[in-house]
Amino acid sequence: MNAAICWSAVACNLTAHADGVDRLPTPAWGHPGNLQLRGDSVAHGLLLRRDAGAVYRFDPVQRTLAAVDSSAWDRSSAPPTDCASQHSAPTILIDTATGKASLGGVPLPSAGPQVVKTVRSPGGGKALVVSAAAARASFAPALGAGHQPPFFHQVVRLDTGRGDGRAVRLPFGGRTGALMACWSADEQFAVYADLIMTSVAIVRLDAEGKPP
């Protein structure tokens, strides 16, 4: 188990636990597309869809992902999330030369030494912070490529710069050099996918944005 994150201050000692989450294959996808999310009342979990195609249901209790009929998406009354419409947190600046991030001029501690990207929450008060073990050469840095796994998930409050909960190690490795990251509409889940959408990783968050 990896050492995790304490978010007590800018110079905090990163000594808590960074638990991992499972890699969940999505064989019905397998090529780039637009990721969409929607709440699911059946499993009190989450529905995931690539464009208007195949749908998966995530069960947060069993932590499993299963293909379901596409009609499950239409039956849900929860608001959908179009991940392509979510953007980086403009108040968090990433120094491309060093990979370090700052908020209001104050450095943000991160689980990995290279901050890859941020994604502002639907409510605007928080951001996902994705970090990686190292940078590497890439022909497509503008797409978020050019980073060495392992990758880590964290949540930061944008009003204080403080983190919510532990860092979580994401299960992407090998040739994965970039990830998509997305909030669910209710901010109860953070979903990550490799760029060709062969698998996802889902971090379930509690009401305060912390991994339970």
Side-chain angles (χ1 to χ4, degrees), residues 24-90:
L24 304 171
T26 53
W29 296 347
H31 55 88
N34 182 32
L35 179 62
Q36 297 175 311
L37 311 177
R38 197 166 203 174
D40 170 52
S41 59
V42 174
H44 302 287
L46 193 66
L47 297 171
L48 298 84
R49 182 172 75 168
R50 188 191 66 80
D51 299 317
V55 176
Y56 286 93
R57 173 180 286 129
F58 175 68
D59 184 323
V61 176
Q62 301 298 324
R63 299 186 180 184
T64 56
L65 189 73
V68 296
D69 189 273
S70 59
S71 62
W73 182 272
D74 297 321
R75 289 196 303 267
S76 173
S77 60
T81 295
D82 187 342
C83 295
S85 68
Q86 296 186 1
H87 303 289
S88 60

Side-chain angles (χ1 to χ4, degrees), residues 82-100:
D82 187 342
C83 295
S85 68
Q86 296 186 1
H87 303 289
S88 60
T91 53
I92 297 180
L93 302 181
I94 301 174
D95 186 325
T96 56
T98 65
K100 304 302 180 184

